[in-house]
Amino acid sequence: MKIGVIGLGNMGVPMARNLVLAGYEVRGFDIVSPCPKDIKAAKSAVELSTLSDVVIMMLPSGSIVKEVADEILPNMAKGSILLDCSTIDVESTRLVAETATNYGVLMADAPVSGGVSGAVAGTLTFMVGGSAEAFSTLKPLFDIMGQKAVHCGDSGNGQAAKICNNMILGATMIVTCEAFALADKLGLDREKMYDVVSTSSGYSWSMNAYCPAPDIGPISPADNDYKPGFSADLMLKDLRLSQQAAKAVDADTPLGMHATSLYKTFVEIEDGQGKDFSAMLPRFSKKTRTDT
Ligand code: NAD
C-alpha cells in the first residue's frame, strides 16, 4: 500500500514518519513546509495522488480540505482511499465524501485526539466516519499512527465525535480552572483540592490527566509555563466548529456556546494566543467577579 500525506505541519510530519518507520512507502507534499528528508517529496498534490493508494490529508480547515480534494480526486485511482485526519466542519466532510463517491474513491474522515505528542509517539485516537470497507482497509494504518480507532458510522461522524469530545473538554477545562481559582480565594490548598477532586465525583481528564495547576498531578503544560500541549487557539477552533454544527442541526448547547465565547475573549482580546488551553487558570486567578 503506497501512502501520500498532504499537509506536513506539526501533526502531518510525525504521522507520516511513523508510517515510514513501519515500512510503508510514503510521499509527502505541503505548499509551505519543506518535506523532511526521511519522507519522499512529491512535486505536487496531484502527483502524490496519482502515486498513492491512500492519500492522508492533515490540513488546517474545511475550505482547504475541499480545495485540495477537488484538485486531487479526479486523479485518484478508482478504489483508492482519501483519508482526512484534519479537524474540520461536518458539512464540508460530507460534501467531500459525496464528491469522492462520484469519482469511485472511498473517503473516510478520521480526526484525531492526542495532539503532537500523541502523533510523535503513535498513540493517537482516531474517530472515524465512512464505510466499514474503508475502515477495515485503513485499520493497519490507524494501528501504526495511534492506539485506538473507533468506527463512528457514516461520513462526518468522525468529525461529529471529535467536536462533541472537545466541547466537553473545553467546558470541563474552564470549570476546573475556575474551581482552582475559587479554591485559592477560599484558602484551600491546591494539592488538597487535587487530592479530593481527582478521586471524587468532580474528577475529569482535565483534572486527573492534564491538571491546569503547576506542580500538581501528572506532568502537564502547566508545569512548562503553559507552552502547548493543545493551544487555546486550537480549542477555540474546535469549539467554533461545535457551535457551527449545533446551529446547523438546531441543538441547544449553552455551555458549549459560553465556552466558545470565553476562549474567544482569551485568545483574541486577552493574552491567550499561543498558550496552552489550560492557561485559563492564571486567567481566572487574575480576575474578580463582574456581577457584584
Ligand atoms: P499545522 O498548521 O502545523 O499544519 C498544517 C499544514 O498544512 C501546514 O504545514 C500548511 O502549510 C499545510 N497546508 C495548508 N494548505 C495547504 C495546501 N493547500 N496544500 C498542502 N498543504 C497545505 O497544523 P497541525 O497542528 O499539523 O494540525 C493539522 C490538523 O490537525 C488541523 O485540522 C488541526 O485542527 C488538527 N489537530 C491538531 C492538533 C494539534 O495539537 N496540533 C491536535 C488534534 C487535531
Side-chain angles (χ1 to χ4, degrees):
M1 196 193 277
K2 290 181 187 162
I3 298 164
V5 178
I6 301 178
L8 300 171
N10 294 321
M11 298 289 288
V13 166
M15 288 165 72
R17 198 164 268 150
N18 281 332
L19 294 170
V20 172
L21 289 174
Y24 282 97
E25 184 176 331
V26 182
R27 286 183 178 77
F29 176 74
D30 192 293
I31 38 163
V32 178
S33 310
C35 187
K37 286 201 177 69
D38 50 345
I39 300 165
K40 283 187 189 168
K43 288 193 193 76
S44 65
V46 168
E47 184 197 71
L48 175 146
S49 65
T50 57
L51 297 172
S52 307
D53 304 303
V54 174
V55 175
I56 299 175
M57 297 191 286
M58 202 49 180
L59 296 165
S61 69
S63 57
I64 295 176
V65 165
K66 275 195 289 189
E67 197 180 294
V68 173
D70 284 344
E71 197 188 342
I72 63 174
L73 279 169
N75 305 288
M76 289 179 67
K78 287 205 183 338
S80 58
I81 304 183
L82 181 59
L83 169 61
D84 182 26
C85 293
S86 328
T87 304
I88 66 166
D89 58 290
V90 177
E91 204 184 334
S92 299
T93 297
R94 290 185 174 150
L95 267 175
V96 172
E98 226 177 279
T99 315
T101 305
N102 294 339
Y103 283 107
V105 172
L106 294 173
M107 155 88 183
D109 52 298
V112 302
S113 174
V116 178
S117 58
V120 172
T123 55
L124 294 169
T125 295
F126 289 87
M127 306 153 217
V128 190
S131 66
E133 185 191 351
F135 181 76
S136 65
T137 311
L138 293 167
K139 184 73 172 46
L141 306 186
F142 295 140
D143 289 344
I144 291 161
M145 297 185 286
Q147 63 183 352
K148 190 172 169 80
V150 180
H151 187 206
C152 300
D154 291 341
S155 286
N157 282 13
Q159 298 295 350
K162 167 82 185 180
I163 55 176
C164 287
N165 180 73
N166 280 20
M167 190 172 80
I168 295 170
L169 176 62
T172 313
M173 180 53 83
I174 288 171
V175 78
T176 304
C177 291
E178 61 187 39
F180 266 117
L182 170 62
D184 288 343
K185 291 191 177 174
L186 294 173
L188 170 62
D189 181 72
R190 286 183 171 187
E191 189 73 54
K192 303 284 179 208
M193 155 100 165
Y194 174 82
D195 276 357
V196 171
V197 176
S198 65
T199 52
S200 299
S201 47
Y203 84 89
S204 67
W205 187 86
S206 297
M207 175 61 85
N208 292 35
Y210 205 91
C211 183
D215 302 322
I216 292 176
I219 298 280
S220 70
D223 302 310
N224 191 22
D225 206 18
Y226 295 101
K227 290 196 181 73
F230 186 57
S231 69
D233 317 52
L234 278 178
M235 176 47 84
L236 175 59
K237 172 191 167 179
D238 293 357
L239 284 168
R240 280 182 163 141
L241 289 174
S242 76
Q243 294 314 291
Q244 185 183 337
K247 260 191 198 159
V249 295
D250 197 19
D252 188 25
T253 54
L255 284 183
M257 193 162 79
H258 198 50
T260 310
S261 142
L262 280 168
Y263 272 106
K264 181 177 185 318
T265 306
F266 187 44
V267 169
E268 294 181 354
I269 298 170
E270 300 169 347
D271 60 351
Q273 194 169 18
K275 289 188 179 160
D276 190 75
F277 82 116
S278 61
M280 275 281 172
L281 173 51
R283 175 200 183 269
F284 279 117
S285 297
K286 280 185 247 155
K287 290 215 167 274
T288 50
R289 280 190 91 79
T290 51
D291 66 344
T292 48

